[in-house]
Amino acid sequence: MIARVAFPMAIPGLYDYEVPPHLERGLVAGTPVRVPLRNRPVWGVVVATAPRSDFPSLKKVLEAKSTHWTDKSHSLIKLYEWMAAYYHCPLGRVFRPLVRKGFVDLGEKTVAVYTPTGAQLAGLTKKQRQAADALRGEDTGLTKEELLRRHSLSQHMIVRLVSKGVLAKSQRKVYREPDELRQARGDDCVVLTDEQRCAVESVGSFFGKPSKPFLLYGITGSGKTHVYIELARTCLKKGRGVIILVPEIALTAQTIQRFRDALGGVIAVVHSRMSDGERRDSMEDLVSGRKRVAIGARSAVLVPMEDVGLIVVDEEHDHSYKQNDLQPRYNARDVAVMRGHFQNAVVVLGSATPSFESYHNALTGKYEMVRLTRRFGAATLPAVEIVDMNVEHRHGNWTFLSTYLRQRIDQTLAQSRQIILLLNRRGFSVSLLCKNCGNTYMCPNCSVHLVYHRSGASLKCHQCGYAEPAPSVCPKCRGEQIKYKGTGIQKAEEYLKEVFPHARIARMDQDTTRRKGQHVSILTSFAEQEADILLGTQMVAKGLNFPGVRLVGVLQADIGLHFPDFRASERTFQLLAQVAGRAGRKDSLGEVVVQTYMPEEPGIEATRTHDFEGFYKREIVSREALNYPPFSRLARIIVWGEGEARVRAYAAKVAQALTRTPNAGMWVLGPSPAVLARLNKAFRYACLVKSKSPRILQKAVSGVRSATAKPPKGLKVTIDIDPVDML
Ligand code: ADP
Ligand code: ZN
């Protein structure tokens, strides 16, 4: 037998290897194997097996991990092949999110346990005999910690008892579980509302049958999570597995808890912040069928589970489902729909603010729409007040806090209710300017301003991570008046502490959640009312469920609107509607204050009335006029590398290759310098391809891919299908 092997990390392309007879058993497409590649042993993945190869004198497979994969129906390999073709990347790369180095190299984790032998023994000291007597009641193996806790046995004593034959030492396997799962709560008992039950029934009747994907369009707080849980229960009862995708790790902790409370120990977590050991154990649990529910961020859609009956994509509009930076540049939501198709699983995309693509698909009948129109119980949607910051300035208030929001915060604190404040901007201040000579501080590697971070007094690039000490004098003119412009979340925190000295403030952003487990502890302490104000970036906008929150304030709603991106308005509306949805989830007293310099902008205006449909109707007109999604498909091709002239010239060639074949119904924009014209020292030029026909688009991109297979030295070409990142 031969195995065709692809490499997640090493070179692209497929290579044949001979499988020695003793490794043949259990070796299938998907099995990780170690093979010699350029005389080094490297881990790859089997993508097919065959009786023989056309190539002579094959090298041999060295090692195989056959317990890591089952795919008897070949549906997963089909899915992976579809991804490689659709997103234009080598097949091996598709395995990358799953088969990390650690996944294949790590063994299981064990602990030493000690079991009483019960033997009658001579030659024990008095103390040892007492210990042996006390241990007689124990019949399972105890760890060192347990022996110490229950029987006060020291390390020294344990060693003695083993050598005397009182205790037998052995190894027991332990499962490594990520933090989120270690804090289970009591299970919640719910009776679904009529609307929720209807939703469950209309989706659930399709289990095991071919069906269109469902769009569960339900307002914030309408109980979408309970609908998912009920569907998962039904699916598990039918003996089939479940995949649940949640957008980001900041959000998973709470959602995972809710699923675990309801479904018990059948859940395995998969996300990128897990340790390799945790990942390995989760995968093994899923492959072996010990766990039947995979829950996690984007890469969970790829887990090797064979009989999947239900795939849920929570907050389906969220952009974190798209992988921008690495191959495969996939959108987990779209892959979920394809996986449902290949594995005959019901797919549910849920959101209060669906992506225009999904909503359009539901309106045109490609998806099935299911709606939840009411908040649970007594809760209604919160009242939204929009504050025009231009007017504040006119009245002489130059702080970032409007008089109105300050009042509302005061009131809410006085009532001992909680507050969430959103400021979607990391760091202390946005940029620095020398008042004397006008010098600004740019990243030496990227075309962006450096951001001042007060902790560590440094200037940081948010694109490439470059950092330098903050200057006290201008390096250009030696002037001492350096102005810190704009408000970042650290400055906001400092100011809030000054204005509300008695309030307990928790800050949540990338900088406070860097270490493992930090996001969980911030959210847990807020849930337990140990903080009054949760100040955060978009991390706090999504999916969180805190009944104690009465007021939500958005400090600067228009931050995202300045990007040259046709989705800027959609994105702003989604963010505002999501964060607004955190207020008043228990009762009808929720209120939202949105501060902005652009109160008439449609995305902001629509937040006032929670009017997704009205907003969609307005926005969709210009999408159609300009042929943007959902009325077309996009591909973005970026040429990047050393030497601006070379990059520009090669980008022009790419554009030529795109337009060479006569293409009715396809438009090519560019090449032009990307918004991030420099990134990590590389110059970047972009072409945007639009077409109403996915087929025409794919064909044109394939043409570019083969034409640019070997770009000139120092240049690279990135292909991004259905891009969401327009920078
Ligand atoms: P969504 O995900 O749609 O924003 P959630 O599922 O978080 O909504 O539900 C909002 C709140 O209402 C939660 O606290 C949830 O426990 C509660 N809730 C929703 N439906 C029910 C129900 N049928 N019984 C009890 N509580 C419910
Ligand atoms: Zn940089």
Side-chain angles (χ1 to χ4, degrees):
M1 179 163 104
I2 67 111
R4 189 149 297 156
V5 177
F7 298 95
M9 308 292 171
I11 53 173
L14 304 177
Y15 294 81
D16 287 356
Y17 290 88
E18 190 186 322
V19 184
H22 73 281
L23 292 179
E24 275 187 15
R25 246 197 88 204
L27 193 121
V28 292
T31 306
V33 286
R34 187 136 66 168
V35 296
L37 182 69
R38 294 180 180 146
N39 299 321
R40 265 189 326 120
V42 171
W43 282 102
V45 180
V46 176
V47 295
T49 56
R52 66 191 68 80
S53 166
D54 297 336
F55 298 96
S57 62
L58 298 180
K59 290 189 176 140
K60 286 195 176 68
V61 173
L62 305 171
E63 190 187 342
K65 298 255 176 188
S66 52
T67 54
H68 280 289
W69 191 274
T70 50
D71 184 24
K72 289 190 200 80
S73 62
H74 293 277
S75 54
L76 277 171
I77 283 290
K78 268 188 220 146
L79 177 74
Y80 282 33
E81 282 169 347
W82 172 82
M83 278 177 75
Y86 185 82
Y87 293 107
H88 293 272
C89 78
L91 184 54
R93 297 289 185 267
V94 181
F95 289 85
R96 193 182 239 161
L98 285 181
V99 187
R100 306 214 173 184
K101 210 168 70 242
F103 170 39
V104 282
D105 273 339
L106 274 174
E108 38 187 49
K109 184 176 169 185
T110 56
V111 286
V113 291
Y114 302 86
T115 319
T117 57
Q120 294 294 334
L121 294 159
L124 298 181
T125 65
K126 192 172 157 213
K127 255 186 152 177
Q128 290 168 351
R129 183 164 306 283
Q130 278 171 355
D133 286 343
L135 283 165
R136 232 171 274 287
E138 306 276 7
D139 49 2
T140 57
L142 299 176
T143 63
K144 244 185 245 165
E145 289 71 35
E146 286 165 334
L147 285 173
L148 177 67
R149 192 155 26 84
R150 287 199 217 162
H151 299 285
S152 314
L153 295 186
S154 67
Q155 161 84 15
H156 179 76
M157 187 65 165
I158 295 171
V159 174
R160 275 293 147 84
L161 291 175
V162 171
S163 73
K164 293 267 171 90
V166 176
L167 288 174
K169 183 177 174 180
S170 60
Q171 298 290 323
R172 182 167 68 203
K173 177 167 181 186
V174 285
Y175 287 102
R176 286 161 286 207
E177 278 194 319
D179 309 335
E180 288 82 2
L181 287 188
R182 296 209 191 105
Q183 34 175 307
R185 285 179 309 188
D187 54 1
D188 59 335
C189 196
V190 292
V191 181
L192 294 187
T193 64
D194 287 348
E195 215 180 31
Q196 291 166 348
R197 214 181 42 248
C198 259
V200 169
E201 277 163 13
S202 43
V203 177
S205 63
F206 283 92
F207 276 125
K209 296 180 206 154
S211 68
K212 296 177 187 172
F214 292 87
L215 175 65
L216 178 63
Y217 166 37
I219 62 169
T220 54
S222 58
K224 292 186 286 299
T225 314
H226 292 294
V227 171
Y228 304 148
I229 287 172
E230 200 46 45
L231 286 170
R233 266 202 197 109
T234 316
C235 183
L236 289 170
K237 271 196 209 126
K238 293 187 186 291
R240 303 185 70 192
V242 178
I243 296 176
I244 293 158
L245 303 184
V246 286
E248 249 175 77
I249 203 54
L251 195 148
T252 49
Q254 248 198 355
T255 313
I256 290 169
Q257 270 189 31
R258 291 178 68 183
F259 276 97
R260 169 169 256 206
D261 292 346
L263 301 175
V266 291
I267 295 175
V269 181
V270 184
H271 61 68
S272 60
R273 283 222 200 167
M274 300 165 81
S275 71
D276 287 337
E278 290 166 356
R279 174 182 301 272
R280 180 201 169 281
D281 288 359
S282 283
M283 289 295 167
E284 203 187 292
D285 283 349
L286 289 168
V287 171
S288 66
R290 228 180 343 259
K291 302 272 171 84
R292 302 290 289 146
V293 181
I295 183 165
R298 120 183 119 214
S299 66
V301 77
L302 303 174
V303 294
M305 257 209 296
E306 237 185 320
D307 190 17
V308 174
L310 171 69
I311 308 174
V312 171
V313 185
D314 189 22
E315 314 282 4
E316 65 85 28
H317 63 277
D318 199 280
H319 285 176
S320 69
Y321 284 124
K322 179 75 158 83
Q323 176 153 301
N324 294 315
D325 43 354
L326 270 182
Q327 284 183 334
R329 293 187 172 76
Y330 67 110
N331 189 322
R333 176 198 60 209
D334 301 335
V335 173
V337 170
M338 281 317 281
R339 182 166 184 161
H341 172 71
F342 284 126
Q343 295 200 311
N344 199 16
V346 171
V347 178
V348 179
L349 313 178
S351 178
T353 52
S355 64
F356 278 24
E357 286 84 351
S358 296
Y359 193 68
H360 181 78
N361 280 336
L363 290 182
T364 54
K366 217 175 139 192
Y367 293 174
E368 207 68 62
M369 178 112 73
V370 178
R371 300 200 47 178
L372 295 176
T373 58
R374 280 186 297 275
R375 275 198 156 183
F376 176 73
T380 51
L381 286 170
V384 180
E385 191 67 42
I386 297 189
V387 177
D388 184 347
M389 290 305 276
N390 300 299
V391 176
E392 289 292 309
H393 288 352
R394 248 175 270 141
H395 293 158
N397 176 9
W398 289 90
T399 71
F400 69 88
L401 210 54
S402 61
T403 316
Y404 183 70
L405 180 54
R406 181 189 292 217
Q407 265 176 14
R408 298 317 306 150
I409 294 177
D410 259 331
Q411 271 264 305
T412 312
L413 288 173
Q415 293 162 337
S416 307
R417 294 282 306 262
Q418 287 177 297
I419 300 161
I420 290 180
L421 296 178
L422 169 78
L423 179 59
N424 205 10
R425 190 181 264 159
R426 284 170 60 207
F428 189 86
S429 53
V430 184
S431 60
L432 271 70
L433 171 81
C434 171
K435 274 186 167 176
N436 193 29
C437 74
N439 184 31
T440 56
Y441 294 76
M442 303 290 288
C443 174
N445 310 323
C446 310
S447 47
V448 294
H449 283 282
L450 292 173
V451 174
Y452 175 60
H453 284 242
R454 177 152 288 185
S455 49
S458 59
L459 300 182
K460 287 185 188 164
C461 172
H462 286 181
Q463 293 299 333
C464 73
Y466 169 88
E468 64 179 48
S472 48
V473 294
C474 174
K476 239 186 189 162
C477 71
R478 316 304 297 167
E480 285 178 11
Q481 277 198 306
I482 293 173
K483 187 171 159 36
Y484 293 83
K485 284 178 23 177
T487 300
I489 194 161
Q490 296 171 1
K491 194 194 274 185
E493 182 186 17
E494 204 156 280
Y495 182 75
L496 289 168
K497 279 183 181 155
E498 249 172 68
V499 182
F500 308 104
H502 302 297
R504 298 161 301 167
I505 301 172
R507 198 183 98 214
M508 181 149 138
D509 58 28
Q510 259 188 58
D511 300 293
T512 61
T513 55
R514 228 173 265 285
R515 264 179 288 126
K516 200 165 174 287
Q518 272 177 318
H519 60 274
V520 180
S521 72
I522 295 175
L523 293 177
T524 311
S525 89
F526 190 63
E528 282 162 12
Q529 317 256 338
E530 284 161 15
D532 306 302
I533 301 179
L534 177 65
L535 168 68
T537 54
Q538 38 92 26
M539 278 183 172
V540 300
K542 303 176 185 179
L544 300 174
N545 187 28
F546 297 115
V549 173
R550 168 158 189 176
L551 173 67
V552 165
V554 181
L555 299 180
Q556 229 197 93
D558 26 276
I559 287 177
L561 287 168
H562 304 293
F563 290 115
D565 181 340
F566 69 95
R567 288 195 186 93
S569 204
E570 180 187 348
R571 213 184 279 216
T572 299
F573 175 76
Q574 285 163 349
L575 180 66
L576 296 183
Q578 288 294 323
V579 73
R582 303 310 112 209
R585 288 171 78 83
K586 198 172 72 180
D587 46 39
S588 291
L589 299 170
E591 52 175 324
V592 180
V593 179
V594 177
Q595 301 188 155
T596 175
Y597 291 97
M598 303 163 77
E600 266 108 60
E601 209 285 331
I604 292 177
E605 167 66 32
T607 314
R608 190 201 304 274
T609 43
H610 306 278
D611 185 13
F612 170 76
E613 281 135 88
F615 172 64
Y616 176 86
K617 278 196 196 118
R618 257 163 89 174
E619 274 292 292
I620 204 73
V621 177
S622 64
R623 292 281 179 92
E624 184 155 26
L626 298 171
N627 269 316
Y628 273 117
F631 299 98
S632 69
R633 296 295 185 90
L634 300 182
R636 194 163 180 253
I637 299 170
I638 296 184
V639 178
W640 51 283
E642 294 159 27
E644 183 168 11
R646 296 176 68 228
V647 172
R648 191 190 316 118
Y650 198 63
K653 273 203 184 142
V654 167
Q656 260 173 23
L658 280 168
T659 43
R660 188 164 314 140
T661 36
N663 281 313
M666 193 181 93
W667 301 269
V668 179
L669 308 178
S672 49
V675 179
L676 278 173
R678 266 188 94 217
L679 181 64
N680 263 318
K681 300 200 167 110
F683 290 93
R684 303 167 80 236
Y685 272 73
C687 295
L688 191 66
V689 193
K690 284 194 228 180
S691 177
K692 284 194 182 294
S693 148
R695 209 176 39 82
I696 292 177
L697 185 87
Q698 289 288 349
K699 208 170 143 211
V701 174
S702 298
V704 169
R705 193 180 170 196
S706 42
T708 59
K710 289 209 165 59
K713 198 165 178 299
L715 299 188
K716 291 235 162 71
V717 179
T718 294
I719 295 172
D720 190 358
I721 302 290
D722 303 330
V724 302
D725 178 1
M726 293 296 174
L727 292 179

